[in-house]
Amino acid sequence: MTERLIQHEIHEEMQNSYIDYAMSVIVGRALPDVRDGLKPVHRRILFGLDTLGIRSDKPHKKSARIVGEVMGKYHPHGDSSIYDAMVKMAQPFATRYPLVDGHGNFGSIDGDGAAAQRYTEARMSALSEQMLRDIDKNTVDFIPNFDEEEREPVVLPSRIPNLLVNGSSGIAVGMATSIPPHNLGDTVKAVVKMIDNPDIDINSLIKAIKGPDFPTGAQILGKEGFEEAYRTGQGKLQVRAVSHFEDGSRGRSKIVFTEIPYQVNKAKMLEKMGNLVRNQKLSGIASIRDESSREGMRIVVEVKRESDPQKVLTDLYKLTPLQDTYSMILLALVDGRPKILNLQEIISEYLKHQKVVITRRTQFELEKAEARLHIVEGLRIALDNIDEIIKTIRKSHDDAKERLMKKFKLSEIQAQAILDMRLARLQGLERKKIEEEYKALKKKIKELKALLKNDKLLMGVIKEELLDIKKKWADKRRTVITTGEVDSSNNVEVTEEETQIVFTNKGYLRKISKASRIKKVMKDGDFVRNSFVCSSDDSIMIFTETGQMYKILASEIPANPSSSKGTLAFKLLGIPRQERIVEIMPYTELNKKKNVIIATADGMIKKSDISEFDIKKRTGVPAITLKGKDKVITVFRTSGNEILFFATRDGKGISFQEKEVRPVGRTASGVRAVTLEKDDEVIAVLSVNKTSSIVTLTKKGYSKIVSMKEFKVQARGGKGVLLCDRRHLKHTEDFVGAFALEEDSIEKGSLIIITDDGIEQTPYTKIPKMKRGDKGEPVSKEDVLKAWQAD
């Protein structure tokens, strides 16, 4: 045997070998295909489940059985790599829409591994069946497996846009991919938009898809990071845990985390938090507890009594994985080559694949329909000549097929179909059924041919089937996208969803869903003083009786269920306990009233443009300069053309045009609204019009409804007129409340009256309409301490 030596430079050999290895890893292991969003191992697992018949409507099978099937036939790279991939496909905290339905211990968000293959069971999820739908209709190419004894698909039909829906991550040689999951409904909406308008711009697609939607929920801070990735293929975004405040024991506050960033190991995160507290890098924390259960995640951080909960929360976000960075790299295989794609290209490539799938399916169904039509045409001939057919068959020996073909001009397939039928059935063939099938096949063939000739019709089918998938499997977003400027004091951003803010008489703030019903009076003697709907990216202005204004982002107010009391406002904002909150309101109002009216007990009034309060600082700033022991009694918004009504404790009322008060700066003290007698003070300031009515209430519980026509509009600064003839009242009886009322609100409105014995609620329909000088009728048997108006 002659030896043959080939000389080769070692650096060239190493280079070529490494390139071969790199391409093997890139194409055959680490990167997903843009068409179905799957790596080879995931594709083979789903195909293996399908070939075994372990679908969503069948019983679970042992994981070891599935892994053995996949390893033996399609993926000879070890059982652990297959099982690990299958486990991740079944974990609801790792995969947004699980493609495997696992039964048994499949690990936890704490990093616990799944049980051994022999202990767990699995089957396809209902949604994963859409990944393989129509695979038996020649929709995709098949290639020989590693030993050429089996055949496997090059790509799955993937009737869902899985690359975006479930995302993908992987590290190849010299490159990596990191595609976050997205909401199925949003993704389908974006795909449908491109079907309707192939030239759609990327900004319109971004509006439809909104942003990543992680299985663990949490919130994304700002849109810039993922929007850059959608445009360029690469970007970074900040993901933050969802938290709210609760009242703890012994005057302590609790920070409760209910959602954490995607791919964060909860156990390791808690360990890091504990180490930071022990090493005194995190201060103000009394204890950390994991109270998570089957009902959901709940991590409780108890704050020391003397510490500011908001500052502790900010430190937690800054120093722990409760706020994490997610790098987006939209890298996938396109025609077998790795490519960084933008959002428009990903959806375009997916639609190209779906067009091929539907075209091949249509062609398959057309060929099948034409083959059946050919047989049905033969059966029609047999029906027309039934007696001769039977006679010919009976007379024939081994040449029945040839005789039928020759005598009735049938093809071999048609003749064989007639011969394969039982004689009894041939005699009983019903012409009606055959004719109906014939017409149906002709119609179907016509439709299928039209579909193949018309791209618009073809894309319409894709759209219709995608919308059907959306209807069946789409769910609500879990991850909140935040927007707006960051408050430099605590680095908190805000959401842009609509939310409802509720403020109670005892100073509790809470945030509930817009659709939730509010119970106006609580069992503990508290009641709702104010509630409004605003955007969660709005600032909430909080005014106190000392003339200070505090601001908080709506997104910072803890989200509480409608049954919860909420969180004390002074804890959220650092307001001194002794400082009473007078009013809260959103910076942006739907009615666009641009003036802010601030009135004081000493009869002063100040009007400022809303822009005067557009400040970034969240700690208290002066909203008005007060003199002596004066205090703010009310704050409200006006349009600039309203009538202002002042009521005093001694029973005086004055109304004047808002135009008499000129706008001033934020820190100004204002002007005189009403001239008060000694020891008198203003108890209410109302915004009214000529058709309004005034509801008055005295300390002894007498109330009446008086038309505004009884009060002459006069000049600002006067003493006003009597709210009631003093002859009807005892000298010591004071007025405790006055409220504006429109005619259409009498039927549904009421007064909330506070006495020593508790809270009473009196409907306006039980309060009489009277003249200004009348005494009124008693609505409470006890002395009234305070009253409030309920919508």
Side-chain angles (χ1 to χ4, degrees):
M1 181 178 179
T2 304
E3 289 188 2
R4 185 163 169 250
L5 297 175
I6 300 175
Q7 289 189 343
H8 199 68
E9 293 292 336
I10 189 168
H11 71 275
E12 292 180 3
E13 180 63 33
M14 291 293 290
Q15 186 181 37
N16 293 335
S17 297
Y18 191 75
I19 289 173
D20 290 342
Y21 162 73
M23 289 307 298
S24 174
V25 172
I26 290 168
V27 177
R29 195 183 306 174
L31 300 183
D33 193 295
V34 71
R35 295 170 291 180
D36 62 6
L38 297 174
K39 301 175 188 178
V41 65
H42 302 113
R43 188 178 300 117
R44 288 163 178 166
I45 289 168
L46 292 181
F47 184 64
L49 284 165
D50 188 56
T51 54
L52 284 171
I54 313 175
R55 299 182 182 88
S56 61
D57 58 346
K58 298 294 189 296
H60 294 81
K61 294 282 186 180
K62 283 290 183 184
S63 298
R65 170 76 176 87
I66 299 164
V67 170
E69 173 80 5
V70 175
M71 184 171 64
K73 289 185 177 180
Y74 313 114
H75 197 76
H77 299 295
D79 60 336
S80 61
S81 64
I82 300 170
Y83 187 52
D84 289 347
M86 189 175 79
V87 165
K88 188 175 180 182
M89 293 168 77
Q91 292 174 331
F93 54 86
T95 305
R96 181 63 177 85
Y97 297 91
L99 299 178
V100 172
D101 178 14
H103 184 66
N105 178 13
F106 273 77
S108 74
I109 199 169
D110 286 317
D112 301 320
Q117 305 170 32
R118 59 185 180 275
Y119 299 124
T120 62
E121 297 178 341
R123 65 182 176 186
M124 296 174 71
S125 69
L127 186 61
S128 69
E129 291 178 9
Q130 298 300 312
M131 295 291 293
L132 292 116
R133 193 174 106 200
D134 302 326
I135 198 170
D136 56 345
K137 295 182 179 179
N138 192 35
T139 51
V140 293
D141 291 332
F142 279 71
I143 56 173
N145 69 338
F146 62 92
D147 61 7
E148 299 190 356
E149 290 186 1
E150 302 285 342
R151 293 181 68 79
E152 62 176 310
V154 174
V155 66
L156 297 186
S158 187
R159 306 315 310 282
I160 62 173
N162 186 60
L163 183 65
L164 288 171
V165 166
N166 274 323
S168 185
S169 62
I171 300 173
V173 179
M175 60 186 71
T177 185
S178 181
I179 304 171
H182 293 80
N183 183 269
L184 176 61
D186 293 345
T187 306
V188 169
K189 184 179 179 181
V191 175
V192 167
K193 276 183 172 290
M194 183 170 277
I195 292 174
D196 292 338
N197 178 17
D199 298 322
I200 189 171
D201 61 38
I202 201 161
N203 291 328
S204 299
L205 292 175
I206 291 173
K207 286 181 182 178
I209 207 163
K210 296 179 183 176
D213 189 25
F214 298 114
T216 54
Q219 54 184 332
I220 296 172
L221 305 184
K223 297 181 176 182
E224 295 80 9
F226 65 76
E227 287 187 353
E228 181 184 357
Y230 290 152
R231 290 188 176 94
T232 67
Q234 291 182 280
K236 290 184 178 181
L237 50 91
Q238 294 290 316
V239 187
R240 174 181 284 176
V242 171
S243 66
H244 67 267
F245 295 98
E246 292 182 3
D247 292 330
S249 59
R250 293 174 293 184
R252 290 175 174 172
S253 295
K254 293 191 292 187
I255 305 171
V256 180
F257 298 94
T258 53
E259 298 171 14
I260 63 174
Y262 183 50
Q263 295 177 335
V264 167
N265 184 307
K266 177 160 67 74
K268 289 183 178 179
M269 180 188 72
L270 289 170
E271 183 181 356
K272 182 172 183 179
M273 290 166 66
N275 289 335
L276 288 169
V277 173
R278 280 190 292 273
N279 296 331
Q280 297 183 346
K281 292 182 179 179
L282 259 178
S283 59
I285 294 177
S287 65
I288 300 171
R289 298 188 302 275
D290 185 3
E291 298 179 0
S292 303
S293 64
R294 288 183 179 180
E295 281 70 43
M297 185 178 296
R298 183 178 167 87
I299 300 168
V300 179
V301 176
E302 193 160 351
V303 181
K304 292 180 179 178
R305 194 163 18 190
E306 67 277 7
S307 299
D308 179 3
Q310 189 62 55
K311 184 180 183 304
V312 173
L313 177 61
T314 302
D315 291 341
L316 284 167
Y317 283 142
K318 183 178 179 181
L319 300 173
T320 73
L322 286 166
Q323 182 168 314
D324 201 18
T325 300
Y326 185 94
S327 296
M328 288 178 64
I329 307 171
L330 309 184
L331 178 70
L333 295 174
V334 180
D335 297 327
R337 293 177 176 273
K339 184 180 179 182
I340 291 181
L341 306 158
N342 62 31
L343 180 62
Q344 203 170 23
E345 291 169 329
I346 289 175
I347 296 176
S348 177
E349 290 295 334
Y350 173 73
L351 284 176
K352 285 180 188 177
H353 175 55
Q354 287 305 295
K355 186 176 177 181
V356 171
V357 167
I358 299 302
T359 300
R360 292 178 63 159
R361 184 187 72 179
T362 305
Q363 188 63 48
F364 176 87
E365 290 176 345
L366 176 61
E367 291 171 1
K368 187 177 178 180
E370 287 177 336
R372 177 59 185 169
L373 180 66
H374 183 63
I375 291 172
V376 170
E377 286 173 339
L379 296 177
R380 291 178 77 221
I381 293 172
L383 276 173
D384 292 337
N385 303 276
I386 188 68
D387 294 332
E388 286 297 315
I389 291 284
I390 294 171
K391 186 176 179 181
T392 302
I393 294 172
R394 283 177 175 173
K395 287 183 178 180
S396 304
H397 296 286
D398 297 331
D399 59 346
K401 184 194 296 184
E402 288 76 11
R403 287 193 178 199
L404 287 174
M405 291 169 60
K406 185 177 181 180
K407 187 170 183 178
F408 299 102
K409 296 182 180 179
L410 300 171
S411 70
E412 185 177 352
I413 294 173
Q414 291 172 324
Q416 189 63 49
I418 294 170
L419 290 172
D420 288 341
M421 298 180 70
R422 295 175 59 187
L423 184 61
R425 189 178 170 196
L426 188 63
Q427 289 175 320
L429 277 173
E430 298 179 21
R431 176 175 292 278
K432 186 178 179 181
K433 288 183 179 179
I434 294 296
E435 287 298 328
E436 286 176 354
E437 185 180 4
Y438 177 78
K439 290 177 182 178
L441 286 167
K442 292 283 282 186
K443 183 181 178 182
K444 184 178 181 180
I445 289 169
K446 183 179 179 181
E447 290 173 351
L448 292 172
K449 285 182 176 179
L451 203 59
L452 289 171
K453 292 178 181 178
N454 192 323
D455 280 354
K456 191 173 182 180
L457 288 176
L458 198 70
M459 298 307 287
V461 171
I462 297 172
K463 175 181 175 179
E464 184 181 343
E465 294 183 358
L466 277 170
L467 290 174
D468 184 57
I469 288 171
K470 177 185 175 183
K471 183 179 179 181
K472 289 181 180 177
W473 284 287
D475 57 1
K476 291 183 179 179
R477 285 190 62 86
R478 298 180 188 176
T479 300
V480 175
I481 308 296
T482 66
T483 186
E485 292 188 37
V486 180
D487 187 331
S488 59
S489 63
N490 58 14
N491 200 32
V492 174
E493 294 195 24
V494 293
T495 67
E496 58 178 356
E497 297 182 342
E498 278 199 337
T499 188
Q500 188 163 7
I501 305 298
V502 179
F503 179 61
T504 75
N505 186 55
K506 290 187 176 180
Y508 285 94
L509 267 177
R510 57 186 167 130
K511 179 171 61 181
I512 61 176
S513 67
K514 182 181 174 183
S516 296
R517 294 179 64 86
I518 304 171
K519 194 171 183 179
K520 297 290 182 181
V521 179
M522 291 78 169
K523 292 180 181 178
D524 62 353
D526 201 3
F527 62 90
V528 173
R529 270 178 51 184
N530 193 6
S531 69
F532 51 82
V533 174
C534 67
S535 172
S536 290
D537 64 357
D538 205 351
S539 295
I540 306 302
M541 302 187 297
I542 299 178
F543 297 88
T544 69
E545 65 180 3
T546 61
Q548 295 292 104
M549 184 202 74
Y550 297 79
K551 289 187 84 171
I552 186 172
L553 300 170
S555 61
E556 293 180 84
I557 297 174
N560 301 105
S562 57
S563 60
S564 172
K565 288 166 55 176
T567 304
L568 287 169
F570 76 85
K571 287 188 176 183
L572 283 175
L573 293 153
I575 301 173
R577 285 175 180 261
Q578 68 275 14
E579 197 167 336
R580 192 178 72 87
I581 294 174
V582 172
E583 190 58 82
I584 72 168
M585 63 181 69
Y587 180 81
T588 305
E589 280 193 339
L590 297 178
N591 56 21
K592 305 297 183 185
K593 291 186 175 181
K594 65 183 183 67
N595 294 321
V596 175
I597 298 290
I598 301 177
T600 76
D602 197 31
M604 302 298 288
I605 185 170
K606 192 194 85 163
K607 179 167 74 173
S608 299
D609 191 275
I610 185 63
S611 61
E612 293 284 334
F613 300 92
D614 185 16
I615 56 175
K616 295 289 186 292
K617 193 176 180 182
R618 65 183 272 119
T619 53
V621 296
I624 184 175
T625 298
L626 299 175
K627 296 177 181 178
K629 295 182 179 180
D630 198 7
K631 60 184 180 181
V632 174
I633 61 165
T634 189
V635 182
F636 54 90
R637 302 274 283 270
T638 63
S639 63
N641 299 306
E642 299 176 30
I643 298 171
L644 301 178
F645 182 91
F646 277 63
T648 77
R649 185 185 60 205
D650 284 351
K652 294 285 186 70
I654 185 171
S655 58
F656 55 87
Q657 295 287 348
E658 180 192 343
K659 292 178 180 178
E660 290 198 45
V661 184
R662 66 179 182 83
V664 292
R666 176 172 56 82
T667 58
S669 58
V671 294
R672 174 65 55 186
V674 58
T675 299
L676 301 173
E677 300 290 344
K678 186 178 179 182
D679 297 329
D680 195 7
E681 66 176 2
V682 176
I683 59 166
V685 181
L686 313 174
S687 173
V688 296
N689 56 58
K690 292 180 180 179
T691 62
S692 300
S693 295
I694 305 295
V695 182
T696 63
L697 181 67
T698 71
K699 184 177 179 180
K700 294 298 182 182
Y702 283 82
S703 183
K704 63 184 176 181
I705 299 175
V706 181
S707 171
M708 264 301 295
K709 294 176 182 178
E710 297 273 322
F711 298 93
K712 184 179 178 181
V713 177
Q714 47 190 118
R716 174 182 60 80
K719 291 185 177 182
V721 297
L722 289 172
L723 297 177
C724 175
D725 191 328
R726 277 291 176 184
R727 291 175 300 175
H728 296 313
L729 301 174
K730 294 180 181 179
H731 182 67
T732 57
E733 185 168 350
D734 296 327
F735 279 79
V736 294
F739 310 94
L741 187 64
E742 299 302 324
E743 188 65 33
D744 58 358
S745 60
I746 292 178
E747 293 297 323
K748 58 182 180 180
S750 62
L751 279 183
I752 295 175
I753 300 172
I754 305 173
T755 69
D756 283 331
D757 287 347
I759 296 179
E760 303 171 9
Q761 195 162 0
T762 302
Y764 287 134
T765 52
K766 292 186 177 181
I767 300 176
K769 294 181 179 180
M770 293 183 170
K771 296 292 185 181
R772 177 171 58 86
D774 293 336
K775 180 179 180 179
E777 295 291 338
V779 293
S780 174
K781 295 180 180 180
E782 304 294 331
D783 282 0
V784 177
L785 302 176
K786 196 173 183 181
W788 211 264
Q789 191 172 28
D791 294 332

